[in-house]
Amino acid sequence: MKDVIIIGSGPAGLSAALYVLRAGFSVTVIGKDNGALERAESIENYFGLDHPLSGHELIETGKKQVANLGGEILRDEVVGIAWDGDYTVSTAHNKIQTRSIILTTGTSRKSAKIKNLDKLEGYGVSYCAICDAFLYRERDVAVLGNGEYALHEVSELLNIVGHVTLLTNGTEPMVEFPSEVDIITTPIDELTGEKSLESIRFSDGSTLETACLFVALGTAKGSDFARKLGIQLDDERIVVNEQMDTGLPGVFAAGDCIGGILQVSVAVGEGAKAALSCIRFLRS
Ligand SMILES: Cc1cc2nc3c(=O)[nH]c(=O)nc-3n(C[C@H](O)[C@H](O)[C@H](O)COP(=O)(O)OP(=O)(O)OC[C@H]3O[C@@H](n4cnc5c(N)ncnc54)[C@H](O)[C@@H]3O)c2cc1C
């Protein structure tokens, strides 16, 4: 059992890890990559740099600092969080139990440009299998995605709904899906339905009638976890109070995933605040 799992190994997550470690608690930081900074060629507006550093160099230095204090950093993709008294964080390769969580997942710009997807959100388009599967029990549904996150959502659905079809929208599946799942790789043209989703039309003119389309594109975002845990969202931003507390006991959030000013200095400060709140929670 970990004291804290930090999801995200960007500036907010690594800054939070430093504080939690120095307070004597065990930390695992899980990040699927180096986050937004990996694409930043040169950082010149962060305190303490006598010459510009690339985003990659800054993050790698931060990771070393966390590792030097005994923090564990895993390169893995988190696909789900469950609560049963403690939290269980599921990754593509592991399940880890923890007393508390700090979400520092950054922002994601990954979305699908499919006609009527936004319009039918909440009317047959869902972003949360565990929340909505029961509404579609024993009915046929589809999942949009091709990776570990889509596999996780498919697994949630298989026990509850009728048949599941995976739609990869013109890409190839990146992981192996259960054999009972049909896979359609043809690009999607549009979703149709007046009041709610009725069918999906593909670029070759074929259609699939389905009760619900569960969207699980790319990697699960902080907002996906928040939605599943019942944490308040403002659009896709996780809502926190001044102490970076989401309102769910033991779950905090910081950095770009809560919106505001999307800068390293802000992410680092919020990461520290989230860590201090988390330390108070662990001690109480
Ligand atoms: C091109 C570019 C240039 C920039 N230049 C500057 C600059 O010069 N100065 C400045 O101050 N800011 C700059 N920024 C902004 C800055 O990078 C961000 O504000 C900052 O990185 C936010 O930190 P964060 O920790 O909140 O999120 P991020 O740094 O984005 O980190 C998010 C972390 O979450 C992980 N993650 C997300 N989902 C999952 C999941 N499901 N499972 C596991 N891990 C997950 C990611 O892998 C990553 O490790 C730039 C951004 C970009 C894109």
Side-chain angles (χ1 to χ4, degrees):
M1 168 81 69
K2 290 284 169 188
D3 292 322
V4 189
I5 287 185
I6 297 173
I7 306 177
S9 57
L14 295 173
S15 163
L18 294 176
Y19 281 80
V20 176
L21 284 164
R22 287 167 59 88
F25 293 103
S26 60
V27 176
T28 297
V29 181
I30 308 175
K32 70 175 173 55
D33 54 30
N34 277 349
L37 272 190
E38 189 63 35
R39 284 175 286 141
E41 268 178 42
S42 169
I43 307 291
E44 303 184 31
N45 59 355
Y46 186 59
F47 170 80
L49 307 179
D50 66 354
H51 63 282
L53 279 190
S54 71
H56 177 82
E57 285 172 301
L58 190 59
I59 284 293
E60 289 302 325
T61 307
K63 281 182 172 171
K64 272 188 209 141
Q65 207 178 346
V66 168
N68 289 344
L69 286 173
E72 180 183 34
I73 302 179
L74 301 179
R75 177 159 287 218
D76 204 346
E77 179 181 334
V78 176
V79 293
I81 305 173
W83 187 82
D84 62 356
D86 294 304
Y87 294 97
T88 302
V89 174
S90 300
T91 71
H93 305 105
N94 219 337
K95 275 186 196 296
I96 312 173
Q97 281 198 302
T98 179
R99 294 166 64 199
S100 63
I101 293 174
I102 303 178
L103 295 166
T104 62
T105 46
T107 54
S108 167
R109 293 151 192 92
K110 182 114 185 151
S111 66
K113 288 190 179 58
I114 296 173
K115 196 173 163 198
N116 294 331
L117 187 74
D118 292 347
K119 188 182 115 187
L120 291 171
E121 198 177 311
Y123 300 93
V125 171
S126 169
Y127 287 81
C128 180
I130 202 157
C131 316
D132 294 339
F134 196 67
L135 300 174
Y136 300 97
R137 58 189 180 278
E138 288 169 28
R139 297 177 69 191
D140 295 349
V141 302
V143 171
L144 175 61
N146 69 355
E148 292 287 357
Y149 182 40
L151 174 61
H152 178 265
E153 296 297 87
V154 164
S155 311
E156 294 279 356
L157 291 165
L158 280 176
N159 299 323
I160 302 168
V161 301
H163 184 264
V164 179
T165 305
L166 180 81
L167 311 179
T168 66
N169 196 21
T171 62
E172 284 306 313
M174 287 162 58
V175 293
E176 198 174 325
F177 285 83
S179 54
E180 64 261 47
V181 174
D182 282 336
I183 299 179
I184 299 178
T185 56
T186 316
I188 299 170
D189 257 3
E190 65 170 336
L191 309 187
T192 61
E194 274 308 305
K195 291 192 178 138
S196 63
L197 177 66
E198 285 163 17
S199 79
I200 296 167
R201 191 192 311 278
F202 298 93
S203 61
D204 61 3
S206 62
T207 58
L208 174 77
E209 284 191 19
T210 188
C212 185
L213 177 66
F214 288 90
V215 181
L217 285 165
T219 307
K221 301 185 288 294
S223 54
D224 294 314
F225 301 132
R227 201 174 276 117
K228 286 165 203 224
L229 291 167
I231 293 169
Q232 197 186 340
L233 287 170
D234 171 12
D235 198 3
E236 288 298 294
R237 293 176 293 275
I238 300 173
V239 175
V240 292
N241 65 12
E242 271 294 300
Q243 284 72 46
M244 306 292 126
D245 191 334
T246 64
L248 189 66
V251 182
F252 308 87
D256 284 7
C257 66
I258 66 167
I261 300 167
L262 309 184
Q263 287 286 285
V264 174
S265 54
V266 176
V268 165
E270 290 172 351
K273 266 193 186 180
L276 295 173
S277 298
C278 187
I279 291 163
R280 266 195 303 278
F281 167 81
L282 291 168
R283 286 184 178 150
S284 67

